[in-house]
Amino acid sequence: MTASKPHRALLLATGLLAMAGLVACTGDDEGPTMGNRGDAGAPTAGGGLTTFAGLYVSADVAPVAETETQVTLASGRSCQDLSKMLAAGQWRLVDRLTYGKLSDEELALIAGFGGVAGDLLQRGDTLVFAGLEGGSACTATVATVPRGEIKLAGGDLPGTTPGWVATTRCYRSKSTGDLIVSVYFDTDAKVGGQGQLSLIKSGDGYTVDTEDTSSITLSLLRHKGQYLNTMSAGYARMSQPEGFVELEPGDSFSGTATLQEGTADKLPAGEIVLTGLLDSNTYDDQIDVSLRFACSGVVETN
């Protein structure tokens, strides 16, 4: 199946770097049921999982990599079943991204652009994103999602507003040290989005790649509910949701990347500030975006 022109733009809005071997799972077609405890049977603490208190898995789900901010869980279960299990403990489901019934070709394209299906889970004031990949043997990568101020300024955008940013992918070049960061985000002002940004290694830090502006992909969505759930409905219908816009660097585009001290060569974290973006539908008002990111893991590439 070849993507039609309307929803190919939706697919391409997920990012820019091709990593076609990573294929996201589809999950189910429905949006999340808030606070749903799932139907995965009686969960128990499995495999010595210690990273996220109250996150329960059965004994057949094993942690294969674990840090203070991320755990990767391997299973012989479907992504739908594993999703239900993760929401069956002390964490509640607050948002979910699924890809409906897209073809393998389209799923590979989305994955290549940094997109990954998954669940946003909450326990107390803590958020995590559980990225779900695979088929009948699903893998979940559960990573901390920080909350903080997000700047979306220009036109009728809300300006600086509280929100969350989930860093779903971080690719780092072994040869140059350059970094590709993929993020999902949402705000209390009901404007969310996602993007993939290229950062050039510069000394002990990074700068935004302003020479090759095609390496920057960013979209916004004005919605009435949750960002991930609204996007899921768009994928299910094979159409862009109402309020969806793609941003493009304008003539006055500039960008900066400020990293937290000591994170450049380990797990990069910091803030990306972009100015001079334009709505690709109207090319009217200049749009400025400021997002924090935090790589819970880094994939080294050639």
Side-chain angles (χ1 to χ4, degrees):
M1 173 181 176
T2 301
S4 64
K5 185 175 180 181
H7 81 277
R8 179 170 293 277
L10 180 64
L11 298 177
L12 294 178
T14 59
L16 191 62
L17 180 70
M19 293 286 290
L22 300 175
V23 181
C25 76
T26 61
D28 55 35
D29 289 3
E30 298 178 356
T33 301
M34 303 310 157
N36 178 22
R37 296 179 61 84
D39 187 25
T44 59
L49 183 62
T50 59
T51 301
F52 300 110
L55 185 67
Y56 290 101
V57 295
S58 62
D60 64 327
V61 179
V64 294
E66 191 171 358
T67 68
E68 293 182 356
T69 58
Q70 176 177 295
V71 61
T72 300
L73 304 170
S75 79
R77 296 170 176 263
S78 69
C79 287
Q80 183 175 351
D81 190 14
L82 188 55
S83 169
K84 291 179 179 179
M85 175 178 291
L86 294 176
Q90 298 177 24
W91 294 75
R92 69 183 184 93
L93 177 67
V94 295
D95 205 358
R96 170 181 288 162
L97 178 65
T98 62
Y99 291 131
K101 300 185 182 299
L102 297 185
S103 69
D104 289 344
E105 176 190 13
E106 292 163 336
L107 290 173
L109 177 63
I110 289 174
F113 286 98
V116 63
D119 298 339
L120 187 70
L121 304 170
Q122 183 174 12
R123 181 176 186 261
D125 294 330
T126 303
L127 289 173
V128 299
F129 181 75
L132 301 169
E133 298 174 274
S136 59
C138 189
T139 297
T141 301
V142 185
T144 301
V145 174
R147 283 189 60 87
E149 296 295 324
I150 295 175
K151 181 180 180 181
L152 303 171
D156 61 352
L157 292 172
T160 301
T161 179
W164 58 262
V165 182
T167 306
T168 59
R169 302 274 196 205
C170 290
Y171 302 117
R172 182 164 54 203
S173 169
K174 294 179 182 178
S175 58
T176 65
D178 294 350
L179 188 69
I180 301 290
V181 177
S182 299
V183 297
Y184 300 146
F185 59 92
D186 203 4
T187 67
D188 294 356
K190 301 295 185 182
V191 181
Q194 62 193 87
Q196 191 171 73
L197 307 169
S198 178
L199 307 181
I200 305 300
K201 186 69 183 297
S202 177
D204 294 332
Y206 291 90
T207 61
V208 175
D209 187 354
T210 56
E211 296 295 326
D212 180 13
T213 55
S214 66
S215 66
I216 297 172
T217 301
L218 189 64
S219 62
L220 298 180
L221 176 69
R222 297 169 177 84
H223 59 80
K224 297 180 181 179
Q226 294 85 26
Y227 171 71
L228 300 179
N229 188 30
T230 305
M231 288 297 292
S232 297
Y235 284 113
R237 294 192 305 267
M238 296 290 206
S239 63
Q240 292 181 4
E242 183 180 355
F244 177 92
V245 298
E246 294 182 68
L247 302 183
E248 296 180 1
D251 293 338
S252 62
F253 171 75
S254 65
T256 60
T258 304
L259 265 65
Q260 295 176 9
E261 185 176 356
T263 68
D265 296 318
K266 297 179 181 179
L267 293 177
E271 184 177 31
I272 298 173
V273 177
L274 306 173
T275 62
L277 295 164
L278 298 175
D279 181 336
S280 63
N281 293 327
T282 63
Y283 295 98
D284 290 337
D285 298 309
Q286 175 177 298
I287 295 172
D288 300 336
V289 175
S290 177
L291 295 169
R292 292 192 174 274
F293 73 97
C295 299
S296 295
V298 175
V299 177
E300 303 288 349
T301 63
N302 293 327

